[in-house]
């Protein structure tokens, strides 16, 4: 069973949940997702901790699944893609690049 971490802008959190469900049911993947948090209610230490946890999810995954609705990839997701590439992870995109 492959493990994939969902990466994408939190503006697409609803799509991320649907995609994770589809990947698990239709593909038989184990899917790790970011937790949705309003960045305005978290302090810098909490945001740093969540980012570290997300990168750990990438570390233990076989790959990442990028939710790039409308082709949108923000700075942090771009950094996650670079990180995954540098660690030889499989990278799947929701919408073709």
């Amino acid at each position: 069973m492959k493990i994939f971490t969902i990466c994408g802008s939190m503006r697409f959190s609803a799509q991320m949940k649907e995609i994770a469900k589809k990947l698990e049911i239709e593909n038989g993947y184990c899917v790790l997702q970011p937790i949705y948090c309003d960045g305005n209610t978290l302090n810098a230490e909490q945001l740093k901790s969540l980012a570290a946890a997300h990168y750990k999810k990438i570390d233990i995954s076989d790959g990442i699944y990028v939710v790039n609705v409308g082709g949108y990839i923000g700075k942090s997701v771009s950094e996650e893609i670079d990180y995954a590439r540098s660690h030889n992870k499989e990278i799947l995109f929701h919408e073709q690049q």
Side-chain angles (χ1 to χ4, degrees):
M1 175 183 295
K2 287 189 176 184
I3 301 170
F4 273 85
T5 295
I6 300 284
C7 296
S9 171
M10 292 316 297
R11 70 178 75 173
F12 305 130
S13 62
Q15 291 95 328
M16 286 185 208
K17 289 177 186 175
E18 287 302 313
I19 289 166
K21 180 179 173 182
K22 181 178 179 180
L23 289 172
E24 288 191 2
I25 293 170
E26 294 180 14
N27 297 76
Y29 294 162
C30 174
V31 179
L32 305 176
Q33 301 177 63
I35 61 165
Y36 179 77
C37 289
D38 179 357
N40 297 324
T41 61
L42 300 175
N43 63 41
E45 185 177 319
Q46 291 168 323
L47 290 170
K48 185 177 178 180
S49 178
L50 285 176
H54 190 65
Y55 277 90
K56 184 64 176 178
K57 291 174 186 178
I58 295 171
D59 286 339
I60 64 175
S61 295
D62 296 298
I64 64 172
Y65 188 99
V66 181
V67 179
N68 58 331
V69 176
Y72 179 78
I73 296 176
K75 182 180 182 289
S76 63
V77 176
S78 180
E79 291 169 355
E80 293 165 0
I81 293 167
D82 291 342
Y83 182 84
R85 265 197 195 108
S86 73
H87 289 81
N88 300 311
K89 304 293 181 174
E90 185 175 354
I91 302 170
L92 304 176
F93 291 90
H94 183 63
E95 294 184 10
Q96 290 301 316
Q97 295 290 77

